[in-house]
Amino acid sequence: MAIVLGIESTAHTLGAGIVGRKGKSVKILSNEIDKFPSTAEGFIPRKLADHHALCYPQVLEKSLQTAGVSLADIDAVAYSQGLGIGHCLRVGYVAAKTLALSLGVPLIAVNHAIAHAEVSKFYTKAVDPLIVYVSGGNTQIIAREKNRYKVLGETLDNGIGNFLDVLGRKMNLSPPDAVGIMKNAAKWRGKGGEYIELPYSIKGMNLFFSGLQTKCEQLIAGKKHSVEQLCYSIEETAYSMLVEASERALCHARKKELIVVGGVAQNKRLQQMLGLMAREQKARFGVAPDECNRDNGAMIAYVGLLSLENNCISRDDLPKQDLRIDEQEVKW
Ligand code: FE2
């Protein structure tokens, strides 16, 4: 059995996951995380890096225990090379490289975005889907073309998750982030409340969130609308923009499958809207379980395993803050 350990540390989460293959079957044996909590001050890179360094031994130990393996059983160590926050990436890199060297096994640098896409394909059994990748720093609509993932559309300013987090903090929500927005939006949706018309910025298959953010900040400061109504209108507007761009890409790329991946993919309203659009376009819709859509080590281990088996371990293993999904070849 080939066993790979994956270390994730691109942003607020330190993760360690273990994946193993026996014959044709791949199993996620463990997927442990420790997330730095959202605070009113946002995420300070140095504090995130300190958090990751401090909790790494416990997260690794827990991951080994859950998987029922020891360090001696590990055949390769994979780590998240980027994109991400430089301070955080370096903690994962040094931890993974030190461990790989001490065990005498290969170190495999994994593209974080490819890991989100591949682990979701693994769970949903999608073969050649259109991929809607939504997280704090990323908003991209992606399709595979031969040996490379190609970006068909993307945000031209903020990532959708960061946009939602900023507004969550401005409204002092609990928690002060996209989850706070989701909770308040669900309450207003449940009441059948009215929608506030907001700027809707989309050009072709690309999106913009800064104009929408400025308008929302003005409305928050004006205090004319309830927090629930604002959160509902923010979600409906941002997700509608994303669904419209995705529908255009789905038709353009002629894909018959659609998956949504990344941290914001956990949002049930977004899943519902994309699922409805996919059904209208006669495409199959899929989404992985939440534990594989938030940042996690198992997805890094999974792509580490694919890289090990397909002999594609890059010598250039240094962290890359701005690594894009379309920069690397995919050889499986
Ligand atoms: Fe991510």
Side-chain angles (χ1 to χ4, degrees):
M1 186 171 185
I3 296 179
V4 177
L5 166 71
I7 309 281
E8 160 59 34
S9 74
T10 53
H12 47 49
T13 299
L14 187 282
I18 297 174
V19 167
R21 181 192 292 279
K22 204 171 189 181
K24 280 190 175 176
S25 138
V26 174
K27 271 202 173 136
I28 291 177
L29 304 173
S30 65
N31 197 11
E32 303 295 335
I33 64 157
D34 194 317
K35 180 182 176 287
F36 190 94
S38 301
T39 66
E41 67 176 3
F43 293 116
I44 311 294
R46 186 182 50 77
K47 291 188 181 176
L48 295 177
D50 287 349
H51 164 267
H52 296 351
L54 286 170
C55 72
Y56 170 62
Q58 291 88 334
V59 175
L60 175 62
E61 184 59 37
K62 214 169 156 198
S63 188
L64 290 165
Q65 271 179 15
T66 307
V69 300
S70 72
L71 281 175
D73 299 319
I74 302 293
D75 296 304
V77 180
Y79 94 101
S80 207
Q81 186 180 26
L83 56 81
I85 300 167
H87 296 62
C88 305
L89 289 171
R90 295 227 156 237
V91 175
Y93 173 61
V94 172
K97 187 154 192 167
T98 307
L99 190 57
L101 283 171
S102 68
L103 295 174
V105 299
L107 173 71
I108 306 173
V110 169
N111 183 311
H112 181 87
I114 292 178
H116 271 300
E118 292 294 340
V119 82
S120 290
K121 280 168 66 182
F122 169 74
Y123 265 104
T124 60
K125 298 189 167 51
V127 179
D128 182 26
L130 185 82
I131 300 159
V132 180
Y133 174 30
V134 278
S135 65
N138 302 283
T139 306
Q140 290 180 326
I141 301 164
I142 300 157
R144 177 120 176 220
E145 209 179 85
K146 293 180 182 158
N147 284 346
R148 206 172 280 269
Y149 283 105
K150 192 173 170 187
V151 178
L152 301 178
E154 61 188 316
T155 175
L156 298 182
D157 46 30
N158 307 327
I160 191 167
N162 286 349
F163 154 76
L164 294 168
D165 285 349
V166 165
L167 294 178
R169 286 199 289 275
K170 296 260 179 210
M171 286 185 274
N172 293 317
L173 303 181
S174 173
D177 58 19
V179 175
I181 298 230
M182 181 186 71
K183 286 181 174 171
N184 281 281
K187 285 182 196 163
W188 193 254
R189 197 173 288 118
K191 292 174 189 168
E194 270 186 38
Y195 165 81
I196 309 162
E197 197 156 326
L198 295 173
Y200 185 92
S201 312
I202 175 166
K203 190 158 191 173
M205 290 184 270
N206 293 325
L207 311 160
F208 312 78
F209 293 102
S210 47
L212 175 56
Q213 184 177 320
T214 303
K215 179 67 182 178
C216 291
E217 286 172 358
Q218 288 166 354
L219 291 175
I220 293 164
K223 296 184 178 163
K224 258 178 68 185
H225 303 280
S226 73
V227 163
E228 288 179 8
Q229 189 179 18
L230 278 169
C231 290
Y232 166 76
S233 305
I234 291 164
E235 271 203 347
E236 291 298 308
T237 307
Y239 294 161
S240 295
M241 285 160 49
L242 190 64
V243 172
E244 182 184 330
S246 304
E247 185 166 23
R248 203 164 284 145
L250 189 71
C251 296
H252 173 75
R254 297 170 190 253
K255 300 292 183 191
K256 291 290 162 211
E257 299 165 309
L258 171 71
I259 59 174
V260 59
V261 313
V264 181
Q266 297 171 88
N267 185 291
K268 301 296 175 262
R269 176 61 179 152
L270 177 59
Q271 291 177 11
Q272 183 189 37
M273 290 168 76
L274 283 167
L276 185 64
M277 179 272 279
R279 198 158 66 235
E280 285 178 354
Q281 294 297 338
K282 299 189 170 38
R284 188 170 76 84
F285 175 70
V287 61
D290 286 353
E291 59 269 27
C292 280
N293 267 323
R294 65 189 180 204
D295 285 348
N296 68 89
M299 67 178 191
I300 305 303
Y302 177 62
V303 172
L305 179 68
L306 296 178
S307 305
L308 186 70
E309 291 174 341
N310 291 279
N311 239 344
C312 45
I313 302 172
S314 169
R315 281 195 200 159
D316 178 14
D317 64 13
L318 282 169
K320 291 182 171 38
Q321 282 192 87
D322 54 358
L323 182 66
R324 283 175 62 89
I325 195 167
D326 47 10
E327 272 181 56
Q328 291 178 328
E329 275 204 337
V330 181
K331 293 181 182 165
W332 50 81

